[in-house]
Amino acid sequence: MTSALLSPAPLADLDTAALREAHAAFAQAYDELKAAGLALDITRGKPSADQLDLSNDLLHLPDGAYRDAAGTDLRNYGGPNGLPELRAIFADALRVPVAQLLALGNSSLTIMHDTIAQALIHGVPGGELPWGRQSISFLAPVPGYDRHFTILERFGIRMIPVPMNEDGPDVEAVASLLAADDSIKGMWCVPVYSNPTGAVYSEEVVRALVSMPAAPDFRLFWDNAYAVHHLSDDRPAPIDVLALAAEAGNPDRPLIFASTSKVTFPGAGVAFFGASEANVAWFQHNAAAQSIGPDKLNQLRHVQLLKDADGLSAHMEKHRTILEPKFAAVDTAFRERLAPWGAGTWNAPKGGYFVSLDVLDGSAKRAVQLAKEAGIAVTPAGATFPYGDDPRDANIRIAPTFPPVEELRTALDGLCTAILLAEAETLLAGRD
Amino acid sequence: MTSALLSPAPLADLDTAALREAHAAFAQAYDELKAAGLALDITRGKPSADQLDLSNDLLHLPDGAYRDAAGTDLRNYGGPNGLPELRAIFADALRVPVAQLLALGNSSLTIMHDTIAQALIHGVPGGELPWGRQSISFLAPVPGYDRHFTILERFGIRMIPVPMNEDGPDVEAVASLLAADDSIKGMWCVPVYSNPTGAVYSEEVVRALVSMPAAPDFRLFWDNAYAVHHLSDDRPAPIDVLALAAEAGNPDRPLIFASTSKVTFPGAGVAFFGASEANVAWFQHNAAAQSIGPDKLNQLRHVQLLKDADGLSAHMEKHRTILEPKFAAVDTAFRERLAPWGAGTWNAPKGGYFVSLDVLDGSAKRAVQLAKEAGIAVTPAGATFPYGDDPRDANIRIAPTFPPVEELRTALDGLCTAILLAEAETLLAGRD
């Protein structure tokens, strides 16, 4: 796409004349891209149609059955904790004892939202006041998940960004913030294949997070969304955050969330909540006023589809087979198109749903805008930061799972063209 | 069961000797009842197994299908408003335009709870402050639905009882309370076949409720749970509460809730929310932070099962066929066992799920306790009043739907024995 006459080199190292030449070549490539009239979308972490096909048995199940192993008629009211059989399938991967793992409705986002709403109205065990009667704040490792931030923004809870490292959030930063400010009541954590950096929290980081001094009603919102979503054979051992927290004398600190959204169907799945006995009792007490029980037949469908922990693992291998080429395509595109120009740094995640790309400071918004104008929808720049505010304007979240791989390659190639043009613009503007 | 020597007459009219004789006969009957070792349950408004069987096609549906009429893949994320096809099926019965009727998750109780939680945290359109920043109260027509009361009790919202008439709540009482107290922000209404009295709100009452002066953020929580749950051919015309409220200049006053819980499966149904455009926009804004969309495949199942408004009506006729003999059994039991002793007054509802029985003041708790000790579980006396406090200790909610009709007859007969004994005890105690 770029001029054959131009020999790639890190853009920032080019002299102004060479940079102008590069800019002209990128602009021409971009005009050709726009002329192609694409309509592609890599905005969201959605499974692709062929991933959804892996669970199509759910469209026939439970095949006339409607009783659980104990003989309960699942068609009727009741069963607020969810099916024990389904909770048993996920207990090992999530490292939560079945008795403390609840299987609930369609969305873990809903459980997280509602947990914060209940904490605002009632407070949590160990706290003196409802969160809503105080001016509270949350720690938000960045880059992070925009829907986490939206919940807090909607509730008027202040977010304090914390840097993410490859082994989890910067625990020294977390510890010094917590020590200085007891209005901090929560922290978002995606401990395995973090959204979007793919970081996996190390045991050392987890031990630090559950041990460090904090307010008694401080909670780790442990969104283990990608616990079983591996993309390689190099897999982290599940960390038993509840046991580590108990060992550290803070058993009530972690609140664990997960779902089958990216295991079966995002539009018809099952969410999980796990925590200490005290937190689970608190949750159940709140939920008793809210619901007579979750959709238990959908839970039965999931039991019949996945069968057991091994069945779950085998099912996730099929997802991996579909997803690996897409993540490889991201890496290839960026290696071929961005690396020669020194135009980006990114991760090659071992699981999860995203690649986090950092472009030249001050270029992300413009690159995403250029891509959009060329018919390639990308997650808005800034979305990975609280209030949509990426102070460096550098981070772009790549969600490669949804489109077919050929469309994905086309979208990535176009995005790279947009990024190169945006970076050349930024650098030229800096030399005016 | 009672002594053949004893000639029934209103207990309150008996002289003390006759009352003692009646008491002895009831006590003997009760001892025989206890000796029978029953284990029966008429506590909750649950459909019976043969009612659930009417919807067993849901256990195979959507039979491989996963797209709505517009071609959207319902397996994936999205579609926060729910399936238009399903909303269209219920729009007529609920008298809500499809565009203002949302199809959501498994439980209307959850929608009601969450709506109040959002109002506490954010306030509602037209209000100046979040409800949670004020000391607010709700009007609660009594007898009413215990789960409504539980939500408010849990949130610390004061409940003010209002008497129910046969055509709805006493509108003069409501109007004078609203005029005197602008802390009143809500009122529970079950407008059709009210729980438990079976009252159907008249158009006159509805017009009064939507017209009378009230705080701008006052809301009618219009729980239309039994809109299509008829038990006779004498059916109320659906009332368009949204249109009447708009006509009265208070378009945002009603919030409408409904569900398929007693249409298909209580454990795997679909809930609905309907309101003015402003309220729907408010709801959608809140829900956008809480969920990426409800379980759309379950909504598709319901579309395939019910097909259209006529299909819904035909389906409800099958429920009626199963339920009519049970409600007849209640009426028969009370006529045969209570009426001769002047021992109760009750309604013969034309729809819904309950019969409301009033026994001699001061006898309900004791009667329910006696029944329980004889193995017959009945809704706790007082449950139909806020805080479980029935000031007359007279009301007992009868939920006849769940047990097979023979079991129901046995349970009712035993309950009547318990009531007669309790009333004789109460009267004798009053003559000491």
Side-chain angles (χ1 to χ4, degrees), chain B residues 388-411:
Chain B
D389 178 23
D390 173 3
R392 286 174 47 204
D393 184 25
N395 189 249
I396 299 175
R397 186 183 79 167
I398 309 297
T401 57
F402 184 69
V405 72
E406 277 312 312
E407 272 185 33
L408 172 65
R409 286 201 183 99
T410 306

Side-chain angles (χ1 to χ4, degrees), chain B residues 86-110:
Chain B
L86 184 62
R87 293 149 64 199
I89 293 176
F90 282 85
D92 189 56
L94 298 174
R95 286 289 190 274
V96 180
V98 174
Q100 288 159 243
L101 184 66
L102 310 180
L104 302 163
N106 180 46
S107 161
S108 57
L109 187 74
T110 300

Side-chain angles (χ1 to χ4, degrees), chain B residues 55-255:
Chain B
S55 302
N56 273 354
D57 283 350
L58 290 175
L59 301 170
H60 305 276
L61 295 173
D63 198 21
Y66 55 79
R67 292 187 189 280
D68 65 9
T72 307
D73 187 337
L74 303 175
R75 300 172 301 177
N76 223 323
Y77 287 112
N81 299 335
L83 253 69
E85 299 91 310
L86 184 62
R87 293 149 64 199
I89 293 176
F90 282 85
D92 189 56
L94 298 174
R95 286 289 190 274
V96 180
V98 174
Q100 288 159 243
L101 184 66
L102 310 180
L104 302 163
N106 180 46
S107 161
S108 57
L109 187 74
T110 300
I111 312 303
M112 292 185 262
H113 171 281
D114 290 1
T115 299
I116 296 175
Q118 298 284 6
L120 285 168
I121 294 170
H122 301 305
V124 299
E128 286 187 14
L129 279 177
W131 286 3
R133 297 221 196 128
Q134 312 165 60
S135 175
I136 68 162
S137 48
F138 260 56
L139 299 181
V142 290
Y145 178 34
D146 57 349
R147 292 190 190 274
H148 286 166
F149 304 150
T150 299
I151 292 173
L152 298 182
E153 194 170 350
R154 185 80 188 100
F155 285 144
I157 297 172
R158 188 169 62 105
M159 287 175 264
I160 304 168
V162 172
M164 275 293 284
N165 298 324
E166 282 186 16
D167 59 352
D170 181 328
V171 291
E172 287 185 21
V174 172
S176 71
L177 284 161
L178 285 174
D181 182 356
D182 70 359
S183 87
I184 299 170
K185 298 303 183 191
M187 174 174 172
W188 288 116
C189 300
V190 182
V192 179
Y193 309 133
S194 186
N195 174 355
T197 72
V200 177
Y201 288 27
S202 68
E203 187 176 320
E204 194 183 348
V205 163
V206 175
R207 281 187 187 276
L209 291 173
V210 299
S211 304
M212 59 183 62
D217 55 350
F218 171 73
R219 292 291 184 273
L220 297 167
F221 281 72
W222 207 255
D223 183 2
N224 209 348
Y226 308 106
V228 293
H229 303 62
H230 309 293
L231 288 167
S232 87
D233 289 330
D234 179 13
R235 297 170 185 202
I239 291 178
D240 189 339
V241 65
L242 289 178
L244 295 181
E247 203 178 291
N250 297 309
D252 299 335
R253 190 170 289 183
L255 302 174

Side-chain angles (χ1 to χ4, degrees), chain B residues 338 343-345 357-364 367 392-396 419 423:
Chain B
L338 300 183
T345 56
L357 170 69
D358 278 334
V359 298
L360 179 69
D361 285 11
S363 304
R392 286 174 47 204
D393 184 25
N395 189 249
I396 299 175
I419 289 168
E423 294 197 12

Side-chain angles (χ1 to χ4, degrees), chain A residues 284-347:
Chain A
Q284 288 169 320
H285 182 60
N286 297 333
Q290 185 188 23
S291 166
I292 312 178
D295 182 336
K296 300 178 298 296
L297 288 177
N298 201 38
Q299 299 190 358
L300 180 61
R301 282 182 200 103
H302 280 75
V303 170
Q304 292 186 345
L305 179 80
L306 299 171
K307 294 184 176 69
D308 53 28
D310 288 342
L312 171 61
S313 296
H315 189 80
M316 295 314 296
E317 280 303 298
K318 297 177 195 166
H319 281 285
R320 173 186 168 182
T321 303
I322 294 170
L323 290 178
E324 260 192 290
K326 296 187 179 182
F327 282 84
V330 176
D331 197 57
T332 300
F334 292 167
R335 269 181 206 282
E336 291 180 358
R337 297 288 318 283
L338 300 183
W341 300 99
T345 56
W346 65 94
N347 64 315

Side-chain angles (χ1 to χ4, degrees), chain B residues 217-394:
Chain B
D217 55 350
F218 171 73
R219 292 291 184 273
L220 297 167
F221 281 72
W222 207 255
D223 183 2
N224 209 348
Y226 308 106
V228 293
H229 303 62
H230 309 293
L231 288 167
S232 87
D233 289 330
D234 179 13
R235 297 170 185 202
I239 291 178
D240 189 339
V241 65
L242 289 178
L244 295 181
E247 203 178 291
N250 297 309
D252 299 335
R253 190 170 289 183
L255 302 174
I256 299 170
F257 308 90
S259 81
T260 66
S261 288
K262 291 171 180 108
V263 174
T264 60
F265 295 153
V270 179
F272 299 92
F273 174 82
S276 68
E277 287 179 12
N279 283 327
V280 168
W282 172 82
F283 185 96
Q284 288 169 321
H285 181 60
N286 296 332
Q290 185 188 24
S291 166
I292 313 178
D295 182 336
K296 302 178 297 297
L297 288 177
N298 202 38
Q299 299 189 358
L300 180 61
R301 281 182 201 104
H302 280 75
V303 170
Q304 292 186 345
L305 178 80
L306 300 170
K307 295 186 176 67
D308 53 28
D310 288 343
L312 171 60
S313 295
H315 189 79
M316 295 314 295
E317 280 303 299
K318 297 177 196 166
H319 281 286
R320 172 186 168 183
T321 303
I322 294 170
L323 290 178
E324 261 192 288
K326 296 187 181 183
F327 281 85
V330 176
D331 198 58
T332 300
F334 291 168
R335 269 181 206 283
E336 291 182 358
R337 298 287 321 280
L338 300 183
W341 300 100
T345 56
W346 65 95
N347 64 315
K350 293 177 178 165
Y353 260 62
F354 302 101
V355 174
S356 179
L357 170 69
D358 278 334
V359 298
L360 179 69
D361 285 11
S363 304
K365 272 193 166 46
R366 174 65 178 157
V368 169
Q369 177 65 23
L370 286 168
K372 186 178 178 185
E373 288 169 11
I376 301 165
V378 179
T379 309
T384 53
F385 285 74
Y387 314 107
D389 178 23
D390 173 3
R392 286 174 47 204
D393 184 25

